[in-house]
Amino acid sequence: MEYTRNMVTGASNSDLSIILIDARKGLLEQTHRHYFISRMLRLQQVVFCINKMDLVDYSEDVFLNIAAEIDKMVKQLEPIQQDIAIIPISSLKGDNVVHASQSMNWYKGATLSTVLHGFAKKVEDTKPFRMDVQQVYHVQNEDFIDYRSYAGRISSGSLQVGDELVVLPSGKKSVVVEIRKFTKTLVAATTNDSIQIRLRDDIDISRGMLLAKETNDFLFEKELNAKIVWLDEKPANLGAKYTIQAGSRTTFCKIQNVNHLIQPENPLETIESSSIALNAIAVIQLKLATPIFLDKFTNNKANGAFILIDSQTNNTVAVGFVE
């Protein structure tokens, strides 16, 4: 049962997933779980590779039957923007991995290599600007007099010199007067750029704060609903204190209520439960000591996910997505 934990850990920083299906066995429980996690993480593309086609005599009927099962699994859930590819392969013989298979001339689609090389990650600059402050630089030398900047990676959106930013949690505002990347000064920066920002005003800013342009979409509340995948062998404790972390922001929290558990193999039916065990996927209510200014995951992936850390063992016990 390690596959759920491994899948969500590996896919959390990915944009495409490849799900292998044994042509002799068809869809298994882990297939449903892997697709559900790929969907929950809003991965841009999911590639289903129906493997070991050489062991079923390269049968087109076997492929079509499994493809129909995949189509049924995908369509039973609410539609989302996600590209789906289904490819019959034999990893042992190399069929449809790099070159088109001569044994499956009935298949006219792309090979796995073609799909992977044709994949292009979508950079969404239209998302609201979010940047966790990772470090504050205060330099005093002959080249930089009273130089103070705030370093971090832009998790979403874009930034230009002259933009007004709000600092959270203080709520203070100032205007960007300089954007720097290493020794180079920039006019603008975008998602995933690691930069330093200098502001017009001298504001008390430290690691763990958040820089943003807009605040209307934030969840300011100390309570939030989230979907989590439990990663720890020790079940969740509703009375225990956990640390919630998003970027460099942290605060204490507790699981106030378990709304229900989700069965990936039958996601339309939910299970009422008061406990969360290893690999379980649950919808919960969290109570936070202070807000950490998250977006809904469906609105902004980069600022809608978090982890839960056991305050006693320091283990990462869950990964969560704001509902």
Side-chain angles (χ1 to χ4, degrees):
M1 291 295 287
E2 291 286 325
Y3 52 78
T4 300
R5 177 165 54 184
N6 295 340
M7 173 68 179
V8 74
T9 302
S12 59
N13 291 312
S14 304
D15 298 289
L16 178 150
S17 68
I18 300 173
I19 299 177
L20 285 176
I21 298 172
D22 190 326
R24 300 167 300 173
K25 300 177 181 179
L27 272 62
L28 303 175
E29 178 187 347
Q30 68 186 53
T31 311
H32 289 271
R33 282 185 169 267
H34 287 170
Y35 174 65
F36 189 86
I37 291 170
S38 298
R39 176 191 172 86
M40 186 169 64
L41 292 172
R42 293 296 196 269
L43 299 191
Q44 189 176 322
Q45 185 167 17
V46 179
V47 182
F48 291 95
C49 288
I50 302 177
N51 192 25
K52 301 184 180 180
M53 289 296 296
D54 54 306
L55 298 182
V56 293
D57 297 324
Y58 299 105
S59 169
E60 182 180 10
D61 287 339
V62 170
F63 169 74
L64 292 176
N65 287 335
I66 296 176
E69 290 182 40
I70 293 171
D71 187 61
K72 180 181 178 181
M73 175 179 65
V74 172
K75 288 183 176 178
Q76 70 177 334
L77 299 167
E78 182 181 353
I80 63 171
Q81 289 187 342
Q82 189 176 67
D83 296 327
I84 302 292
I86 306 174
I87 307 173
I89 70 169
S90 168
S91 58
L92 178 65
K93 305 291 186 179
D95 294 281
N96 287 334
V97 177
V98 176
H99 303 292
S101 171
Q102 299 302 313
S103 301
M104 291 182 281
N105 52 21
W106 44 263
Y107 174 73
K108 305 302 180 183
T111 65
L112 176 60
S113 177
T114 302
V115 170
L116 296 181
H117 282 89
F119 177 78
K121 180 181 177 180
K122 297 176 183 176
V123 178
E124 300 179 320
D125 291 342
T126 57
K127 297 295 184 183
F129 175 79
R130 308 285 188 252
M131 190 184 100
D132 281 279
V133 177
Q134 298 287 346
Q135 191 169 354
V136 179
Y137 291 107
H138 193 187
V139 182
Q140 185 71 270
N141 58 36
E142 59 182 15
D143 297 320
F144 296 94
I145 300 173
D146 289 332
Y147 178 85
R148 189 179 183 87
S149 67
Y150 312 100
R153 185 178 64 86
I154 300 176
S155 56
S156 67
S158 59
L159 183 70
Q160 294 183 348
V161 172
D163 285 346
E164 183 180 67
L165 296 183
V166 59
V167 182
L168 297 169
S170 69
K172 294 181 179 179
K173 298 181 179 180
S174 188
V175 174
V176 177
V177 296
E178 184 183 72
I179 303 171
R180 184 178 290 272
K181 191 171 186 179
F182 302 111
T183 58
K184 185 179 180 181
T185 301
L186 307 176
V187 175
T190 189
T191 305
N192 294 325
D193 284 343
S194 295
I195 59 171
Q196 299 173 44
I197 297 173
R198 193 161 59 88
L199 300 177
R200 181 184 61 194
D201 305 293
D202 188 9
I203 300 175
D204 185 15
I205 301 176
S206 59
R207 173 180 166 84
M209 292 186 173
L210 182 72
L211 301 179
K213 284 186 187 177
E214 307 88 3
T215 58
N216 294 337
D217 295 332
F218 277 120
L219 299 177
F220 287 95
E221 300 84 359
K222 292 183 180 180
E223 295 184 7
L224 58 85
N225 291 322
K227 191 176 292 176
I228 68 167
V229 180
W230 195 256
L231 309 177
D232 198 35
E233 294 181 1
K234 184 173 69 175
N237 186 343
L238 269 64
K241 181 170 69 174
Y242 296 100
T243 298
I244 180 172
Q245 178 171 339
S248 61
R249 290 158 280 154
T250 62
T251 190
F252 291 117
C253 70
K254 69 175 183 178
I255 301 173
Q256 189 157 300
N257 186 51
V258 180
N259 295 348
H260 58 262
L261 303 182
I262 298 173
Q263 301 179 87
E265 61 275 17
N266 193 7
L268 298 180
E269 293 185 11
T270 57
I271 302 173
E272 299 299 322
S273 177
S274 59
S275 63
I276 311 172
L278 175 64
N279 292 322
I281 301 172
V283 177
I284 64 170
Q285 287 179 312
L286 282 174
K287 186 165 183 69
L288 282 59
T290 56
I292 57 172
F293 311 107
L294 295 168
D295 296 287
K296 290 184 177 180
F297 188 74
T298 54
N299 295 341
N300 189 359
K301 287 176 56 176
N303 194 50
F306 59 86
I307 59 173
L308 294 181
I309 302 169
D310 189 310
S311 300
Q312 293 183 335
T313 64
N314 212 34
N315 290 336
T316 299
V317 296
V319 58
F321 313 93
V322 180
E323 292 276 270

